[in-house]
């Protein structure tokens, strides 16, 4: 009994020693192997092997994840690029001639720094709209052949252009009107009598046509004579004194010495804007060549075109006759620029065009 008690005490002592050694081993981080031998040969030998411990891997110290705080990020302010200051609107006026004779014409050209919505030129209190074509703004201008309407001497052509934003630019150029050498002749016969009211009615038909300015140039190159033969019996601007003492200033050019029925040709490309019988001018055709330029063909025996027809230079438009207020068979050829009769012959020798050459 006493011996059993001693063994029991030895066992408890051994267990206590093992526990102390294990605690010390953990603290020193070493591997401890303990072998206890009983003091008595009667007690079996107990060997306690501590499980192998690896050198502890450093444990990452857990860190509390930082909670993302929503920070209002300021939108970067974009510094606006300085807006380009629009170029100042400017215009430049050019005339094909700065000195012309009564009844003669010149081309007006206006160029601008940007597109215009309105362009015009004023000369002698007459304002004419300029038409956009070939990168510029154009018009054809003619002075009256009458000095009481267009006094001789120098004056100024004033141009004005307006863009889409309402900006206005102006320019001017000098132009001089010189006297033309108009002649006076004594004509045979007496003009056919007519009622003045008929002439007034005819003017009401003619005026809107003469003053129409189509926006595009339709003619090409030189103008051709409307008849291939015959002679000029009366010049533009000539004063005719008749046998009865009456007189008149001739508005156009007369071609005579030709038989009735001689073909009459369109002087250039254009559109027929009048084809009808008139009291004074007889059977008449007027062709619009664009930019305010018209040609008229009067006293014909036959009209071979209709209003609205597109005609080409050299196309037969009628036949020579003696209708209307005449003293004999002939063709009266008018050249009309912006409502005024002009000298047509310079158009047969000089090219007026808006097309760059």
């Amino acid at each position: 009994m006493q011996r059993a008690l001693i063994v029991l005490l030895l066992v408890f002592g051994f267990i206590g020693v093992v526990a102390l050694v294990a605690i010390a081993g953990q603290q020193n981080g070493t591997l401890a192997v303990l072998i206890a031998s009983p003091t008595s040969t009667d007690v079996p030998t107990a060997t306690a092997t501590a499980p192998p411990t690896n050198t502890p891997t450093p444990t990452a110290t857990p860190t509390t994840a930082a909670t993302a705080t929503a920070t209002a990020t300021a939108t970067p302010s974009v510094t606006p690029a300085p807006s380009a200051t629009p170029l100042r609107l400017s215009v430049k006026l050019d005339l094909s001639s700065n000195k012309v004779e009564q009844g003669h014409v010149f081309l007006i050209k206006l160029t601008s720094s940007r597109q215009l919505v309105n362009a015009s030129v004023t000369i002698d209190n007459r304002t004419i709209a300029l038409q956009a074509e070939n990168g510029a703004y154009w018009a054809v201008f003619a002075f009256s052949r009458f000095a009481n309407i267009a006094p001789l001497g120098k004056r100024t052509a004033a141009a004005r252009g307006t863009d889409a934003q309402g900006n206005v630019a102006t320019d001017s150029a000098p132009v001089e009107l010189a006297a033309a050498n108009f002649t006076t002749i004594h004509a045979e016969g007496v003009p056919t009598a007519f009622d003045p009211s008929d002439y007034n009615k005819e003017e009401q038909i003619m005026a809107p046509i003469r003053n129409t300015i189509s926006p595009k140039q339709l003619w090409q190159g030189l103008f051709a004579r409307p008849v291939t033969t015959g002679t000029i019996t009366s010049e533009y601007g000539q004063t005719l004194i008749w046998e009865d003492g009456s007189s008149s200033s001739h508005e156009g050019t007369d071609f005579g010495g030709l038989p009735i029925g001689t073909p009459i040709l369109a002087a250039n490309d254009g559109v027929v804007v009048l084809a009808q019988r008139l009291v004074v001018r007889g059977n008449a055709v007027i062709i619009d060549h664009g930019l305010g330029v018209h040609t008229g063909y009067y006293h014909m025996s036959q009209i071979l075109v209709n209003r609205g027809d597109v005609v080409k230079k050299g196309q037969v438009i009628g036949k020579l006759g003696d209708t209307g207020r005449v003293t004999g068979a002939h063709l009266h050829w008018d050249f009309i620029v912006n409502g005024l009769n002009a000298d047509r012959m310079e158009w047969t020798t000089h090219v007026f065009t808006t097309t760059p050459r």
Side-chain angles (χ1 to χ4, degrees):
M1 182 70 177
Q2 185 177 8
R3 186 177 180 180
L5 180 61
I6 291 171
V7 171
L8 183 60
L9 289 174
L10 288 173
V11 171
F12 279 117
F14 175 78
I15 291 174
V17 171
V18 170
L20 289 174
V21 172
I23 291 172
Q26 286 183 357
Q27 289 177 350
N28 294 327
T30 60
L31 176 63
V33 179
L34 301 178
I35 301 175
S37 299
T39 56
S40 171
T41 57
D42 294 331
V43 179
T45 303
T47 304
T49 305
T53 59
N54 294 325
T55 304
T57 303
T59 304
T61 304
T63 56
T64 304
T67 304
T69 303
T71 304
T73 304
T75 304
S77 59
V78 179
T79 303
S83 58
T85 302
L87 292 175
R88 176 178 174 270
L89 178 65
S90 61
V91 296
K92 186 177 185 300
L93 177 63
D94 291 298
L95 309 179
S96 62
S97 176
N98 293 99
K99 185 176 182 178
V100 294
E101 294 183 352
Q102 294 166 298
H104 290 251
V105 304
F106 56 92
L107 274 177
I108 298 169
K109 177 184 179 182
L110 187 72
T111 52
S112 62
S113 57
R114 57 177 171 270
Q115 187 174 358
L116 303 176
V117 295
N118 182 273
S120 63
V121 65
T122 300
I123 305 174
D124 286 356
N125 296 319
R126 290 177 61 204
T127 299
I128 296 176
L130 303 179
Q131 308 299 323
E133 188 164 3
N134 296 320
Y137 301 85
W138 300 85
V140 184
F141 193 90
F143 285 108
S144 171
R145 67 188 187 281
F146 299 113
N148 62 330
I149 297 176
L152 302 179
K154 298 179 179 180
R155 67 259 289 140
T156 298
R160 175 186 174 94
T162 306
D163 66 12
Q165 289 72 44
N167 300 304
V168 175
T170 60
D171 194 22
S172 62
V175 59
E176 181 178 356
L177 177 61
N181 185 25
F182 297 133
T183 60
T184 299
I185 64 170
H186 291 271
E188 295 181 356
V190 176
T192 305
F194 70 99
D195 186 341
S197 65
D198 290 335
Y199 182 80
N200 294 334
K201 291 176 183 177
E202 196 163 304
E203 283 302 296
Q204 290 177 2
I205 296 172
M206 297 289 290
I209 295 172
R210 283 198 304 253
N211 290 294
T212 297
I213 301 177
S214 299
K216 298 294 181 183
Q217 175 186 324
L218 303 178
W219 77 86
Q220 301 293 326
L222 292 172
F223 278 69
R225 286 166 52 122
V227 288
T228 57
T229 59
T231 59
I232 294 175
T233 57
S234 182
E235 295 277 3
Y236 165 80
Q238 202 167 53
T239 297
L240 306 177
I241 300 178
W242 302 97
E243 290 180 353
D244 64 357
S246 63
S247 65
S248 61
S249 177
H250 203 226
E251 292 184 335
T253 302
D254 286 349
F255 295 89
L258 297 168
I260 291 177
T262 298
I264 296 173
L265 314 176
N268 215 313
D269 300 353
V271 177
V272 176
V273 290
L274 182 139
Q276 69 180 77
R277 178 72 175 255
L278 301 173
V279 174
V280 178
R281 295 172 176 84
N283 287 329
V285 168
I286 296 178
I287 299 174
D288 182 354
H289 301 285
L291 295 181
V293 176
H294 298 78
T295 51
Y297 312 77
Y298 309 143
H299 309 305
M300 295 190 292
S301 60
Q302 285 183 267
I303 297 173
L304 301 179
V305 290
N306 298 302
R307 182 179 178 183
D309 286 354
V310 176
V311 295
K312 292 294 183 181
K313 179 179 178 178
Q315 179 179 333
V316 177
I317 59 174
K319 294 184 177 181
L320 186 140
D322 58 359
T323 58
R325 187 175 183 243
V326 297
T327 58
H330 72 285
L331 169 68
H332 177 103
W333 187 33
D334 260 359
F335 208 96
I336 306 162
V337 176
N338 289 320
L340 292 177
N341 285 79
D343 186 355
R344 86 286 165 266
M345 293 309 290
E346 66 179 333
W347 288 75
T348 64
T349 59
H350 180 78
V351 175
F352 293 91
T353 181
T354 64
T355 304
R357 289 180 289 171

